[in-house]
Amino acid sequence: MNFNLKVSIDLRYIMRITLSHLILFFVFTGVTYASSSKAQGVLNTNISVNVADMSLRDALKLIEKTANTKFVYSNTLINASQKVSIHADSEKLADVLQKLLTDNGIAFELFNQQIVLSKAKTVVATTTEGKTAVADVVLTGKVTDDKGEGLPGVSIKVSGTTIGTTSNSTGNFTLSIPADKANGKLQFIYIGFETQEIAIAGKTTFSVKLLEERKSLSEVVVIGYGTQKRSNVTGSIARLTAEAIDERPITRVEQALQGQMAGVTVRSTSGSPGSDLVVNVRGAASLSGSATPLYIVDGVPLDNMSGINPSDIESIDVLKDASSAAIYGARGSNGVVLITTKRGKTGKPVFSLSAYTAVANAERKVDVMSSDEWIDFNKKYLDRLWVNATKQSASVSQADRIAYAQSLAPAGTVYQTRDQLLTIKNAYGIYDPYWGTSAIEKIDWQDELLRSAPVNDLQLSVAGATDQINYSISGGAFNQKGIVVGSGFNRYSFRTNVEAKLSDRVKVGLSLAPSIGTTTGTNVDGKDNAVSRGLSFPGWVLAGSGNMAGADPYKYYDGWGPGANNVSPYVQAVYNDRKISDFRLNTALNTTVKIIDGLNFNGLIGWNYRNNSQRTYSPTWIQGTWNTATPGSLSTSRKQGTFSNSLLYQATLNYNKEIGDHSIDVLVGATQETFKDETSDQGYTGFPNDKTFIFDITRGTTINQNSIYASSNAIQSLFGRVQYAYKNRYLLSASMRRDGSSKFGPNNRWGSFPAISVGWKISEEDFAKQLEWLSTTKLRVSWGQAGNDRIGSSNFLSNMAALNYVFGETQTINNGFVVSNIANTKLHWEKTDSYNFGLDLGLLKDRITLSADLYYKKTSDLLLLAPVSLTTGFSTMYNNIGNLDNKGFDLQVNTVNFVAPIKWSTSFNISVNRNKITSLTNSNADIKLGQGNTVIQRVGYPINSYYLLDAVGVLRQNDFTQDASGNYTVPKIPIYSGQKPGDTKYRDANGDGKIDANDYVVAGNYQPKFEWGMTNTVYYKNWDLSVLVQGRVGGDLLSIGSRGWNRATGDTRYNYMESWLNKAYWSEEDPGDGKVPAFFSAVTSQYDTNWLYSASYLRIKNITLGYNLPVLKKAFNKIRLYASCDNVFLWDSYYPGYSPEAATQDNASADWGSYPLARTISFGLSAKF
Amino acid sequence: MALQSCKKTIDIQPIENNTSGQFYSNEIEVRQAANGIYARLGRNGTNTDFATDYFFLASENRSDLVYLGGETNAQNDQLDLRKYLLTSNSGIVSSIFARLYQMIKEANNLLYFTKEGEYMRYRAEAKFLRAYAYSELARSFGPTALITQPIENRDAILLPRAPLPEIYALIVEDLNYAAANLQKIYTGADAGRVGSVAAKALLGQVYMTMAGYPLNDATAYAKAETTFSGIITDVTARFGPVYADLFTLANENKYDLFSIQFVSGASNLGSSLPGYITSSASSGSPYPEWVFNSYTTQGQDIRVDTLLIKEMKLSKDLRFKASIDTGFYNAVLTSSNANTRTFVLKNIITKFLEKDNTNSKIKAWNDFPRNFPIIRDADVYLLYAEALIQNGKASQAKEYVDKIRIRAGIGALAAAPTMADIKRERKFEFIGEGRRYFDLVRWGEAEAISTLSAFATHYHSKTNGQLPTKRDLLLPIPQSELNTRNNWQQNFNY
């Protein structure tokens, strides 16, 4: 990282308005800014009037109509009956009014889009009415921005009084004040700019340059049930705005967060189109597997982000510590992600168009043996079998081997045909007669499976607002083909956010967001699926079958190959029909009522509906045994549906008031959320023909699935919060929530979740204000409690489950019921206590901002399906089983390295988290899970640690002594029973002189030492370039898929990692690299650290180059073209899979042939007009 | 009012409306609950049934009947059992232990939620099945917790390992209760449900187990003899005349007294046992002439002792062909492949394999229809004969041993049977049925260890196992169970 910390910073550059400032300015202060600019527009409107001897009242009415504006004046001050004449032909309204009013001693100013008339004070002083004839001092001046442009609408007032005015369209102002106030100070207030105070001190003319307000001061963040100025936040909240989302192509909301926020880790575990990303906020605070944060979209909780169109998002705020998340009580302990969608901004409609087209390719291939290497490998292996069996030389020819076998064969046995030779393949090391002939052909399964895949995205929206209505309507179409053949995803989404102002007091809004996402393609991740098969099938097929090998009319490469009944992974991926369609309708109805000034009521009804259906069909002709089946007989068709809806009622009352130095904001609220879902599942096998997937009771022979299920749960909550600030300097926030959940028994249903936090804005202190180099600086301390109730619906009760049995001479199925789970009336909330100590620091006028947080999260009463004594008749029950600690450190640094002519800024974040299980019930007994029990929960170690034998090398002959028959079988060092030279050497962890199940150790875990991300953004003239680099250091990934293609199975029919040919132990003379054991190892079924690989990596995640077209500025507000590349480059040492992020199996801690990540190159444009 | 409606909103009962407190309310439900106890012996919602886990993998697989032809598969648990490398972390052992206590739990619930005097038949069945579960726990795990009503975890973990005599006392009491409240045999739609003959037969077997190692209860042989003599007429009425017919689909529930019931084509109600007869390709059909093509095999390459094969072939024992195949063709015979298809030589147990390659009703490797007998005619005959011999009445025993031998086609004995004759007949009679290992243990520590060691020495030179020791006469208490409590000692030397 290269911070530019040259002290010779030119202050002029600092004050320059940057693009990011502008965008933020629009985002956060849009309404006000837009209103003044609109009013400005009114004054600049050209009008034509022709009035002679008309009353001022009528003249103004005429102008109101013509210019579409409104005049406000008091009849007691303004003599509206006076006759006026004016002639203007297409003149600026400002000029017209100047003539019409100013000359008549009437001043006008813009206020709230209306033109307010008043008596011109300068005139007052000289009029005959003259009550204050002598007293007033007239001050004049001009307010400009740092470029010298006049700022209209700046509020100018005398400190501590109500005397004031506003600057006019050119930034000029005139203000007359009583003489006794002339020793006071003048305040210049303008939204988006820093307030300035200037002592009047006898001066009468002022030239004031306002500085644009520093971003951090004006920035507003979304907090639970409201918003707050970032500068007053006392919890720990990370924020991402539309800026970061819009500028590069993003398919999923979570993708925008990756590498961007300290403490928020996002992993793309699978490259599968439409798949979910794994998001963790400050480590996992739950063992139950659901450590994902709570997502709230516009106030309504949502289970999953897949239906949300990233371009609809205005901002994403992540509540990281419990003091901010505790307001979400029961569900806040894994952090809360608040998503705000776009609203219209006052002004004429803004049309936006953004589109990109991209092409994706696999980031890399896995280094398995090539076609030729596989034959070399087989020959090497067969030669060894020959040598071992006959004690003859490996150089004995195939013909001689066959002759030798023939000489020993029982009478009548002939070894001639390929099938006959196959029977002596292993006994005499016989090669496949097909090798080197045209009977078989080469194929690279990874090449067959992976492809260049197009991605297209189109987004259209229109947004705007008038006094009465605020609207934003958008539609998006996203279409992605997967880089694995047969897979794809598309999403069509609409969103309408409309808010109507019914009166000064009542606003009603409605959001409607339907979306439909369609995923196609069969499962490619995981055991026995296409990726795993693609890696473990050798690169040979029978000539002519190509990638259709195994499907009708081809059979698979048999004998020396995997067997006739196998099917090509390509066929598996392409012809297994699968379609998941996910329809979602997210709606929210919102009412805000202003009861009195500062007191607002808000009512929200949120309704989310989801209909997810999955259809799969596997025809007979692609089954390996198609040749022995009649068409349709092996076909399988299945449809699963989930229908769910959730309904949220929410009412909040908010009061805020400033009294002198005290500012207070009080919130109370209540919510109720109900959730219902119904699922159905039907499956059939055995169809009359292979024509269709459609089935009914008359078409099909075997019912595989036929079930209907339903469940429901509900949660009720009461909550309140007080935020208090003294002198805008000392901040306090306290909140409390009570949640009642149907998931727990009547006595433990309700939980309380308090939080308190304090902040001290050091930079507001007088001593700090004198420090030139110090800008926004704040200390924050917080504590809070949040919970987690994400378990099934009725686990506190003992339920009966069906378990049928057969009786009777005719084998009739009898219904049976068993007690399926143990009642746990004591089941209660999982709670997380979180302590946070934070520092926000701004240096050099916020050119460098830094936000650092130290935290400690202690989760207690973890909910887990925990082991119980088997003597109860149960093996597990949902229980509150233990405690877990997460400690860590988040650091976010943003710097502006150059301002002009190149603007270069850097944003860097680093997340350090240490996770440890501190206690488990049942005397801290381990809990094991996963394939081969390779994942362990053990006190003192991070969750989901790996439990493996520690491989320390390869056993050699000198580790053994020879037995009587000359074999090296008598070990000198501890071995696993039966091991021989060439087997993996294990560490005798318990020192008992032998290796067995008791030597399994906690060998590592997936959690990194730290994760980091850095974005560099450079703007030069119309160009912009951003580079996101991100990575992790430390942590291991268990390649459990190695069980298939990275293990000494002794079965050479399949394909393996290249290392088994080149780096493995073959003999004492050819011992390999000392790490990879012999493929003929005697003991091969243990799980050891040979499959544990470093999961550290460094990735250039994204590079985007953009260009703002200047020529079109007249027609368009903005038009930007960009080129972007995702997953540009990866440095890592994870070898047996596609990505070190691919922890998809076994509690998301191991990899089994995960879908490769894509390197995507896209070209896009975004335009506003 | 508002508060009341609030409470209602979050007071949600499961939609199935099926909590255990609401069940057992009428005859139909009690009957269904009784069915549930039986169902624990079946697939139990998992891939394997009780017969596979217990009688085959943990018993037959550790005996001197089968050996490993090679380690073809990373199923460590199976390897460890065969090679006497068993640790308390074995998943198979844990699932056996769990399943037996599941049966006990279902039975305890039924007995707890019904009253003495009502639903007596189902209460009797529950007691039978509870006794059965405890009898297997006692002979495989030694002393364990004695639980006779529904129990919560916090209470269960305080219970000690009850001494064997206490457990046997409950078993005897339960079986006597069952025998007193059931008809002799159930047929028709109720075929497969236990009757009093089965209860007595199990009681007799329990006495025989008590008489042997490790309890060596001297009074038990006499009790066994009395018990068997009370049912021998009923058993004789059910004696199957042809050995090969005993295990066929057509004759199910005709000859046996208590067997695990299986059916194919339904949802998880088939048998997984044939899936373990030998290891082969994990896809496709390894025995095209025998099974429909959706079949795949599991497990290790488990083969039958070649000496046993020789001996049975030599004596032309009819039980041989009914229990064992010595190989199979790798393809169905067609006009073109007569010369190219090959015969794969492997001695494998096919006793429970439904050989019908047109049977597409069998959906998977664990969906076979043949029942697995836990107690059948020969159990009663041979145990009764053994009890008579032990009680000095060998001449009375001859009748029963001869009937078994004649059915096997090897002719009657010339003289009164000895224990050696009993041991020989039991070995051949029950191949694949998982009796052998428990017999060896019952007949004494020294004999068991020497017999198993001799066998292991012969075969394990290829598979590198350990030799069995005294500890192998019991299974270990699952580590997961010990982890939940701190008041149990692990079994000897585990």
Side-chain angles (χ1 to χ4, degrees), chain B residues 134-135 138 142-146 161-172:
Chain B
Y134 273 119
S135 74
T144 55
L146 193 59
R161 299 184 68 172
L164 281 180
E166 252 179 63
I167 295 175
Y168 278 116
L170 175 82
I171 294 171
V172 171

Side-chain angles (χ1 to χ4, degrees), chain A residues 384-407:
Chain A
R384 187 181 170 276
L385 291 176
W386 163 255
V387 172
N388 280 2
T390 65
K391 310 290 175 213
Q392 298 188 40
S393 158
S395 58
V396 173
S397 74
Q398 285 293 304
D400 289 348
R401 290 183 199 184
I402 296 167
Y404 180 77
Q406 192 68 66
S407 73

Side-chain angles (χ1 to χ4, degrees), chain B residues 353-412:
Chain B
L353 180 69
E354 185 68 14
K355 291 178 187 169
D356 176 6
N357 67 0
T358 61
N359 187 344
S360 63
K361 204 181 161 197
I362 300 170
K363 287 195 297 187
W365 62 269
N366 53 7
D367 194 34
F368 279 84
R370 290 198 193 172
N371 291 352
F372 180 86
I374 290 177
I375 302 172
R376 61 180 176 91
D377 49 6
D379 285 283
V380 175
Y381 271 45
L382 290 173
L383 285 174
Y384 185 36
E386 188 180 340
L388 288 168
I389 293 169
Q390 293 289 354
N391 294 332
K393 303 170 188 167
S395 58
Q396 285 181 42
K398 186 165 186 297
E399 178 193 350
Y400 304 107
V401 180
D402 282 350
K403 276 193 89 169
I404 297 293
R405 287 177 58 95
I406 290 163
R407 182 167 72 178
I410 53 171

